[in-house]
Amino acid sequence: MSGGNTLWHGRFEGGPAAELMAYTESLSFDRRLWADDIAGSVAHVLGLVKASIISEHEGASVLAALEQVADEMGAGTFVFVEADEDIHTAVERRVTELAGPAGAKLHTGRSRNDQSATDVRRWLKRELMAVAGRVVDLQHVLLDRAVAAEGVYLPGYTHLQRAQPVLLAHHLLAHGWALGRDVERLLDALERIDVSPLGAGALAGSSLPLDPDVTAEALGFAARFENSLDAVGSRDHIAEALFVLTLIGLNLSRIGEEIVLWTTDEFGFAKLDDAYATGSSMLPQKKNPDIAELARGKAGRLIGDLTGFLATMKGLPLSYNRDYQEDKEPLFDAVDQISLALGAVTGMIATTKWVPDRMQAAADAETTSATDLAEWLVQRGTPFRDAHAIVGLLVRRTLAGEGSLRDLVAVHEALGPDAAALVAPGVAVKRRTTKGGAGPAAVAAQLERFRAKLAELSAAVAPDLG
Ligand code: ARG
């Protein structure tokens, strides 16, 4: 008896148990790495030829076999067999079938430890850049809608209580800036991801004259690993990617929650486009914000992906441990979910109709000008704490039914008719004049700065398109 057709059969008398294969396989989820796995193998073959470990002729036949495997994978005709425990095993098995003895040399000086780490880093470079592009798309929509919302204002909230009026553009751009930081975080994480682990072998490098710089360059990595134990034994870049993806999910959940609120009859600030809303199977009148709700709900799942992975990594000794195989499912899930969420939320925001009358009526509630009244007094020499108390007392009186705030202000000895003019529709928002503030002049300047920042981010996420 031998170890069957596993990659490690020499050392084993018997083959693997069916339960072992069922429990330890990763092919069911790592097969999506096939293109990266083949690219890694192509680079490795070039390195083996360059180091004269295999002949040019052998190299050519392995490369031809790899090309055929790529064709089969791409066409969906690749036949997986039961012993293919992961994508690396499947590709090597097929290459050996196709190229014979030369194929059996493919794994020289390489381990699945450095191979799988290389595949995932290469996959992440592409996928995180695509996510960054989708975030930038959402930022563009927010910018367009901010520009188009010129002059529309709504209450700004703290504690979800009306606080001061703000321009709708200001509110939309607040989400836009947060998403811009997420793009920067993705780009920053990508710098640490862009390091090739190939050549670290199982954990300690090789006695063969392989050059990790050669494969790093062939694979388009910015650098190679500095320490082989670290190369196969670290996953902090995956934790970091998961964190940034989760944070994007949290930011989308906050946008989602606002859309849920704004589309209620109670708020009535927004109406969803039919294409981005759902109906009820029982209640004919319903129009539900399911995208917004799932953006909120799926944030929980992303937090699970991140925290589950962090728990997996805790306390693991150097270098590779099979636990690391558990990096892929949460990572793939987070990328898939964020990609879907960004597409759906972007479409929803692009098509939602605002209801300026409702927004402005809510913002024009008399009490949202209370701070302006206090600041009016400050400009005439009243200490702020005293001004706050004077206006607070008037608010208390209007709430007690003694009259409108405007009337009470008009007859107040320290305030009077000039101050009462502040308690009129649309006045308060124009008084938010400080840099970065919520009024028209400040927001016009902010729009320019946002546009410039977005141009910079757009260029960074689509370098080829300029
Ligand atoms: N499928 C495995 C993974 O993703 C490949 C590495 C297995 N290595 C090992 N030494 N058993 O981590």
Side-chain angles (χ1 to χ4, degrees):
M1 272 250 262
S2 80
N5 41 9
T6 59
L7 296 176
W8 58 82
H9 59 82
R11 160 77 172 76
F12 285 66
E13 277 187 28
E19 295 89 337
L20 176 135
M21 289 300 282
Y23 189 51
T24 61
E25 69 84 25
S26 57
L27 181 67
S28 54
F29 49 88
D30 68 15
R31 65 174 69 189
R32 71 193 283 171
L33 294 172
W34 67 265
D36 301 294
D37 197 71
I38 289 172
S41 287
V42 168
H44 186 60
V45 171
L46 298 177
L48 289 170
V49 171
K50 191 155 181 187
S52 304
I53 296 165
I54 66 173
S55 71
E56 298 237 356
H57 183 256
E58 287 171 322
S61 68
V62 177
L63 289 176
L66 282 166
E67 203 176 311
Q68 181 168 337
V69 174
D71 289 346
E72 292 175 2
M73 291 278 186
T77 57
F78 186 95
V79 182
F80 291 97
V81 303
E82 216 165 297
D84 291 342
E85 64 162 311
D86 55 25
I87 189 62
H88 326 296
T89 312
V91 171
E92 185 186 337
R93 191 252 318 146
R94 182 73 179 129
V95 165
T96 310
E97 282 170 14
L98 293 167
K105 296 188 174 183
L106 171 59
H107 210 52
T108 311
R110 185 178 73 171
S111 159
R112 281 182 297 161
N113 299 352
D114 56 347
Q115 191 179 358
S116 122
T118 305
D119 291 3
V120 174
R121 283 180 182 266
R122 194 171 184 278
W123 182 87
L124 263 177
K125 280 177 62 177
R126 191 172 61 246
E127 296 294 330
L128 287 194
M129 200 51 111
V131 169
R134 290 191 180 93
V135 179
V136 164
D137 289 345
L138 175 52
Q139 287 186 284
H140 276 290
V141 165
L142 288 167
L143 172 62
D144 290 347
R145 300 234 52 188
V147 171
E150 201 191 348
V152 176
Y153 59 94
L154 74 165
Y157 294 84
T158 60
H159 314 269
L160 201 55
Q161 306 282 326
R162 287 177 197 162
Q164 289 182 297
V166 299
L167 285 182
L168 176 57
H170 193 59
H171 190 109
L172 296 172
L173 289 186
H175 290 302
W177 288 107
L179 291 167
R181 292 191 295 278
D182 290 339
V183 174
E184 289 176 334
R185 285 187 187 95
L186 285 170
L187 295 172
D188 195 53
L190 276 165
E191 281 185 31
R192 280 175 289 281
I193 287 166
D194 200 4
V195 175
S196 173
L198 196 57
L203 77 163
S206 175
S207 66
L208 300 164
L210 288 163
D211 184 350
D213 279 323
V214 169
T215 41
E217 200 189 322
L219 283 169
F221 280 105
R224 62 152 168 91
F225 63 94
E226 296 289 347
N227 176 310
S228 62
L229 290 173
D230 183 43
V232 298
S234 62
R235 291 291 185 275
D236 49 281
H237 58 289
I238 293 189
E240 191 177 3
L242 279 169
F243 169 71
V244 180
L245 293 165
T246 301
L247 196 58
I248 295 169
L250 293 196
N251 283 329
L252 296 181
S253 81
R254 302 182 66 192
I255 293 175
E257 170 63 1
E258 288 185 345
I259 293 293
V260 170
L261 286 173
W262 288 11
T263 55
T264 57
D265 287 338
E266 286 72 12
F267 268 81
F269 288 1
K271 290 192 196 308
L272 293 175
D273 188 88
D274 282 359
Y276 289 89
T278 55
S280 159
S281 59
M282 178 173 161
L283 313 171
Q285 84 281 14
K286 292 302 295 292
K287 185 167 179 185
N288 294 327
D290 289 30
I291 291 175
E293 291 173 285
L294 281 172
R296 197 174 57 182
K298 283 179 189 256
R301 170 177 178 161
L302 291 159
I303 292 168
D305 287 333
L306 169 65
T307 54
F309 178 68
L310 291 174
T312 297
M313 289 302 295
K314 179 188 170 296
L316 290 180
L318 287 173
S319 57
Y320 178 84
N321 302 276
R322 190 62 178 259
D323 314 48
Y324 287 17
Q325 183 170 290
E326 288 290 301
D327 60 358
K328 293 172 199 62
E329 283 165 294
L331 183 63
F332 295 164
D333 184 62
V335 168
D336 291 345
Q337 288 302 323
I338 281 296
S339 303
L340 291 168
L342 283 165
V345 169
T346 301
M348 175 180 70
I349 296 296
T351 55
T352 292
K353 291 194 178 46
W354 311 128
V355 188
D357 290 349
R358 292 277 304 198
M359 290 181 171
Q360 289 171 187
D364 287 334
E366 283 193 317
T367 45
T368 60
S369 57
T371 313
D372 295 281
L373 292 169
E375 287 175 359
W376 186 91
L377 285 167
V378 164
Q379 283 182 322
R380 282 150 190 84
T382 310
F384 179 73
R385 194 47 56 209
D386 299 339
H388 186 288
I390 290 168
V391 179
L393 183 58
L394 291 178
V395 169
R396 182 161 18 130
R397 288 175 55 200
T398 186
L399 294 177
E402 288 186 31
S404 73
L405 183 62
R406 188 177 182 148
D407 290 346
L408 294 175
V409 168
V411 298
H412 190 278
E413 53 183 7
L415 289 152
D418 283 357
L422 299 179
V423 195
V427 173
V429 72
K430 300 209 177 75
R431 297 174 58 84
R432 308 274 90 79
T433 49
T434 44
K435 289 174 186 162
V443 169
Q446 184 192 164
L447 272 167
E448 285 323 303
R449 295 167 83 99
F450 188 84
R451 214 189 292 278
K453 183 74 190 176
L454 188 51
E456 193 187 292
L457 295 177
S458 303
V461 302
D464 296 337
L465 306 175

